[in-house]
Amino acid sequence: MNNLISLELVRMLKKARKITVLTGAGTSAESGVPTFRDAQEGIWAHYDPQELATTQAFRRNPRLVWEWYEWRRNRIRAATPNPGHYALAQMASLVKNLTLITQNVDGLHQLAGSRDVIELHGNILRNKCFKEKNIVDTWTENGSVPPRCPECGDFLRPDVVWFGETLPGEALKLALQASASCDVFLSAGTSTIVEPAASLPFLALRSGACVVEINPVPTPLTMSATYVLSGYSGEIIPHLINHVWGETIRYQ
Ligand code: BJW
């Protein structure tokens, strides 16, 4: 894999003062969490997003949506971080200023030790009130599926961002700032299709950053990226840490 990483890229990463990383479902694929759009294994190969990941779908059939999320949560609770997650957590200690933005809702970056992760699409392990949107940690089980908000009695729903919903304002603001002000932007394991996250690497490019894509498959970013490292993030990111900073991965 050495020949994948050019000397120029090594120099660029070594001298970078500010690195911004955007991750997507592909970075958790090696932990056994299914991606969304991969043809065989992707979630949308088996389920229709319009039936499950919109407020309209929840209104139509809250029980179906809740149970689908429960099934996914159980898979995610059983998953553990992979070497790519650990390598990104370690990168934060090697770079002066590293911002980690994720579209993932699985919390695996945090489990690997990353701090201050910007979660653009929320977190599947949290719940909020469908009506009031406040986070709800505990409720009484009375047989209702989905369970009810202890404050207002409306349904609870997962604290994730569905299609057509706006992203958490502060997270998006920080992500835009970090993308517009970095020297190097790493885009790992995302199809670069879902907006507004998909615009972040292009914002970085326009702002003069070097953009590195890590993905086994070409995406709408590939033609514009400064460097493309074609392969799995769980292999490439640990290799970068080793090759650029001379460190081996610590598994916490
Ligand atoms: C590996 C690998 C390995 C595999 N290593 N790589 C402008 C234009 C057009 C449309 C819009 C627009 N602005 C807004 C929209 C509408 C919409 C949108 O973008 N639609 C597109 C489909 C076109 N966006 C929204 O609705 C967003 N809201 C918004 O913008 O509000 C304002 C607004 C609303 C309406 C109109 C206009 C403005 C909200 C988006 C919310 C996304 N939610 C989801 C579900 C989260 C909850 C849940 O988990 O159920 O988020 S959808 C899903 O996609 C999930 C992901 O975070 C997101 C991105 O997916 P990701 O991470 O890229 O995964 P995949 O599967 O697509 O790709 C995996 C990649 O990994 C692949 O490339 C593999 O090759 C690779 N890979 N193994 C490295 N080992």
Side-chain angles (χ1 to χ4, degrees):
M1 200 185 300
N2 270 359
N3 55 5
L4 258 177
I5 304 172
S6 70
L7 212 56
E8 215 178 45
L9 173 57
V10 171
R11 277 201 211 105
M12 191 78 81
L13 284 164
K14 254 191 185 142
K15 72 168 198 236
R17 276 166 302 122
K18 187 162 178 184
I19 297 183
T20 295
V21 184
L22 171 69
T23 64
T27 52
S28 291
E30 289 153 272
S31 294
V33 180
T35 61
F36 291 91
R37 293 172 187 80
D38 287 312
Q40 299 298 319
E41 301 293 325
I43 290 177
W44 300 151
H46 306 281
Y47 302 95
D48 178 356
Q50 296 307 323
E51 293 299 326
L52 293 159
T54 62
T55 47
Q56 293 86 335
F58 189 78
R59 276 204 191 93
R60 250 192 328 264
N61 197 340
R63 186 185 189 109
L64 175 80
V65 173
W66 178 266
E67 286 178 342
W68 183 66
Y69 274 96
E70 280 293 280
W71 170 73
R72 285 183 51 208
R73 282 168 169 162
N74 287 335
R75 282 196 76 154
I76 285 169
R77 284 195 191 103
T80 51
N82 67 59
H85 293 112
Y86 286 111
L88 286 174
Q90 201 165 330
M91 203 186 281
S93 65
L94 302 168
V95 178
K96 220 175 227 157
N97 191 335
L98 183 134
T99 303
L100 177 55
I101 308 165
T102 189
Q103 297 168 84
N104 298 346
V105 296
D106 55 30
L108 289 177
H109 285 303
Q110 292 89 331
L111 269 185
S114 284
R115 286 196 229 134
D116 302 322
V117 180
I118 300 175
E119 292 182 319
L120 285 181
H121 295 160
N123 192 305
I124 199 170
L125 301 175
R126 282 193 306 261
N127 289 295
K128 63 183 179 188
C129 174
F130 183 62
K131 187 166 151 216
E132 303 293 344
K133 314 284 183 248
N134 53 299
I135 300 295
V136 176
D137 296 321
T138 52
W139 60 87
T140 314
E141 288 293 354
N142 60 1
S144 169
V145 181
R148 298 278 179 173
C149 171
E151 296 289 317
C152 74
D154 208 317
F155 283 133
L156 296 183
R157 55 160 283 185
D159 182 26
V160 296
V161 181
W162 285 329
F163 285 115
E165 293 187 314
T166 51
L167 276 62
E170 184 63 14
L172 182 59
K173 187 179 111 193
L174 292 172
L176 288 166
Q177 280 169 354
S179 305
S181 61
C182 59
D183 310 306
V184 177
F185 186 102
L186 294 184
S187 176
T190 174
S191 55
T192 325
I193 285 175
V194 176
E195 295 291 353
S199 292
L200 296 175
F202 294 97
L203 170 62
L205 272 174
R206 284 198 303 280
S207 309
C210 150
V211 172
V212 184
E213 180 176 60
I214 300 169
N215 199 312
V217 166
T219 75
L221 174 64
T222 308
M223 292 291 281
S224 310
T226 323
Y227 298 97
V228 177
L229 303 178
S230 178
Y232 300 124
S233 52
E235 292 172 10
I236 291 182
I237 306 174
H239 187 70
L240 273 181
I241 296 281
N242 184 252
H243 205 59
V244 177
W245 291 281
E247 297 246 340
T248 48
I249 298 305
R250 289 189 298 270
Y251 298 95
Q252 294 188 335

